[in-house]
Amino acid sequence: MSHLISPPETHRLLPQSASAEKGVLSSFLLAPEDVGALCRRRGVAPAHFHLPQHALIFGHLQRLYADRQPIDIITLCQALHDARQLEAASGAAYVSELFTSLPTAANAEHYLDILQEKSTLREIIQVCTDIATRSYTEQDNVPHILAEVEKRVLGIAPGAGRGQRQ
């Protein structure tokens, strides 16, 4: 059986949706109780975010929510400032923009769907890239690589690993 092998396309951007990430953060700021509970139920974590500043902001929102602290522009900016991460989160003006970028949190679940789908695609790419690399370097260990492929790919399934939506 002959297979055509395409070289990896290193110039491609990883799947992402900055708009959906921003929608999740904005929704969290607009309706912290509802969106915080929804994120917790769906297992959303900072690792689901592609943009580092969004992951950072989400991590602080999660902590504020878990600690039953008020969630608004001031408390979020203060938490980021106290952790010396406000600039890494793109600054206070950006946090304010998040609060005002949506009129309502009504579509939070849809933004979470997109966020988790893009995260899953990035995880698939990472696993397959790792396995492809190992296939070149560990040619004497085919059964082990095959078992690793099965284990890691099945671990990506929704509800597995990083808490994807079930």
Side-chain angles (χ1 to χ4, degrees):
M1 181 189 304
S2 175
H3 295 283
L4 295 176
I5 298 176
S6 301
E9 296 187 37
T10 56
H11 65 280
R12 288 182 127 180
L13 290 175
L14 290 172
Q16 59 181 299
S17 175
S19 298
E21 291 184 12
K22 196 172 180 179
V24 170
L25 298 173
S26 182
S27 295
F28 206 139
L29 284 164
L30 290 170
E33 286 300 315
D34 294 336
V35 177
L38 180 60
C39 289
R40 177 175 278 166
R41 267 194 319 276
R42 290 181 59 162
V44 177
H48 285 98
F49 291 80
H50 181 69
L51 296 175
Q53 67 269 31
H54 289 170
L56 186 64
I57 291 167
F58 184 78
H60 281 278
L61 287 170
Q62 270 189 317
R63 280 189 286 287
L64 290 169
Y65 177 80
D67 293 344
R68 300 264 185 234
Q69 297 295 313
I71 295 176
D72 57 30
I73 296 170
I74 294 170
T75 57
L76 178 57
C77 284
Q78 189 62 54
L80 289 161
H81 181 277
D82 290 349
R84 297 185 178 166
Q85 296 178 320
L86 185 57
E87 291 311 310
S90 299
Y94 186 71
V95 173
S96 294
E97 180 185 322
L98 288 173
F99 189 74
T100 60
S101 66
L102 290 177
T104 177
N107 294 321
E109 193 151 7
H110 179 66
Y111 305 140
L112 285 167
D113 288 344
I114 296 168
L115 176 83
Q116 290 183 298
E117 287 170 359
K118 299 300 182 184
S119 176
T120 298
L121 290 171
R122 289 192 305 273
E123 194 168 1
I124 290 168
I125 291 167
Q126 180 64 54
V127 165
C128 292
T129 300
D130 290 348
I131 295 298
T133 300
R134 289 183 56 201
S135 295
Y136 285 108
T137 61
E138 299 176 29
Q139 294 183 20
D140 60 335
N141 201 358
V142 174
H144 179 71
I145 292 172
L146 192 55
E148 186 73 15
V149 167
E150 184 178 359
K151 176 183 168 193
R152 291 186 64 194
V153 168
L154 292 176
I156 297 171
R162 294 188 346 214
Q164 297 287 327
R165 176 172 56 102
Q166 295 187 26

